[in-house]
Every structure is written in C-alpha cells, then in structure tokens.
Amino acid sequence: MENKPGRGRPRVETWLTPMWKEIVLDAGRRGKHITQFLIELGISWDTHYALLKRNKEYSEAFNEYQKLCEQWWFDRAHTAMEETEGAGFNTRLWQVIMTNKFKDNWKSEKHIDIKTDGEKLNNTNTPIQIEIIRKQISDDENKVSD
C-alpha cells in the first residue's frame, strides 16, 4: 500500500529546530520572557498553546522554563538584598513582575470577610442590601439667581 502524505500543513514538530528544547530552557536560565523564545523558535502564541496541550515533551520543557525563569528573577532580588540591603532595588517593579509572570506562585490578593451583626453569613438565600447614599442637591442650589 502506498503511503500518501497527510492532508493540511505539517505539524510544527516536523519542522521545529532540533535545538528547540535548549532554546526554551536557556531562555528560562536567563530570565527571558516567553515571547523571546517564541520568536526564536518561529512559533505563534496559538502554536505555543497547541503544543502545550498535545506535546508532553514541550509541556514539560515549558514547565522547566517557568521554574528556571522564576529562579532567575528571585536570585536577582536575593542578590540585591544581600549586597546592598535592597538599596536601589525597585521592589515594586519586581513584585509586579513576579505576580504577573508567575501568577500561580506569587499572588497579591485581598480578602473581604462580610459579617452581619458580628456573625458570619451562612449559605442561605439571605439577600444583602447595599444602600447608596448620595448627596441630594436642593432645587435652590440648582437655580440661577436673577
């Protein structure tokens, strides 16, 4: 039986550079953003997400990239704290980078605990009413003087 080529365009795995894994891991070791290795590999965000779903080796390499990259950023902060006790280190920028780039491990959350008369609400269908108080302007203030 004759082998016919598959329909459609070939999967990225067939033309991706053999060095793809080292490119991904090296980007992590250097704290580079994911966009940098996607460009170097010549793949789009859509292709990246498709590979994460269907290619176990790519998914594992990406997870390792994430760990290496997070460690790179953490090491920068740690070094700054050791060497200069943080002088000149932009902790706010670092926090924003960590909470946005590594969402699963670095979260900045606020929790609101709602209570009524000092007691926590239970899971009943008790409606919560919110009263909005607005300053009412009298008709006199809105009138233009003659």
Side-chain angles (χ1 to χ4, degrees):
M1 184 176 224
E2 185 178 317
N3 282 340
K4 294 182 182 180
R7 292 185 146 176
R9 99 173 67 159
R11 287 197 163 186
V12 69
E13 291 92 336
T14 62
W15 57 261
L16 201 58
T17 178
M19 298 295 298
W20 71 265
K21 191 172 184 179
E22 188 53 38
I23 290 169
V24 170
L25 296 179
D26 185 57
R29 284 185 206 102
R30 297 184 308 145
K32 300 295 181 179
H33 191 270
I34 180 175
T35 306
Q36 291 173 287
F37 78 72
L38 294 181
I39 290 170
E40 195 170 343
L41 294 176
I43 63 174
S44 68
W45 281 99
D46 289 342
T47 302
H48 165 71
Y49 293 124
L51 284 170
L52 285 175
K53 289 180 183 176
R54 74 171 180 243
N55 188 309
K56 185 178 179 181
E57 187 178 12
Y58 184 86
S59 180
E60 289 172 351
F62 180 71
N63 287 337
E64 187 65 18
Y65 154 82
Q66 287 284 81
K67 287 192 298 185
L68 292 167
C69 193
E70 183 177 355
Q71 185 62 47
W72 186 91
W73 282 97
F74 186 81
D75 286 346
R76 295 305 160 276
H78 188 263
T79 300
M81 297 303 141
E82 275 187 337
E83 293 176 358
T84 65
E85 294 182 3
F89 185 73
N90 189 336
T91 55
R92 179 66 183 131
L93 175 61
W94 184 80
Q95 179 188 17
V96 168
I97 290 169
M98 297 306 276
T99 55
N100 285 293
K101 187 163 178 45
F102 309 108
K103 290 178 177 82
D104 293 336
N105 300 331
W106 298 80
K107 294 180 182 177
S108 182
E109 296 179 359
K110 292 181 181 178
H111 298 280
I112 299 173
D113 188 8
I114 299 174
K115 296 183 179 191
T116 58
D117 294 328
E119 298 295 322
K120 286 189 177 183
L121 293 174
N122 55 23
N123 290 335
T124 64
N125 290 332
T126 307
I128 298 174
Q129 295 180 349
I130 300 173
E131 183 179 336
I132 300 175
I133 303 170
R134 294 185 182 157
K135 179 181 176 188
Q136 293 194 352
I137 302 172
S138 70
D139 289 337
D140 291 338
E141 291 176 341
N142 289 330
K143 291 181 183 177
V144 179
S145 47
D146 293 57

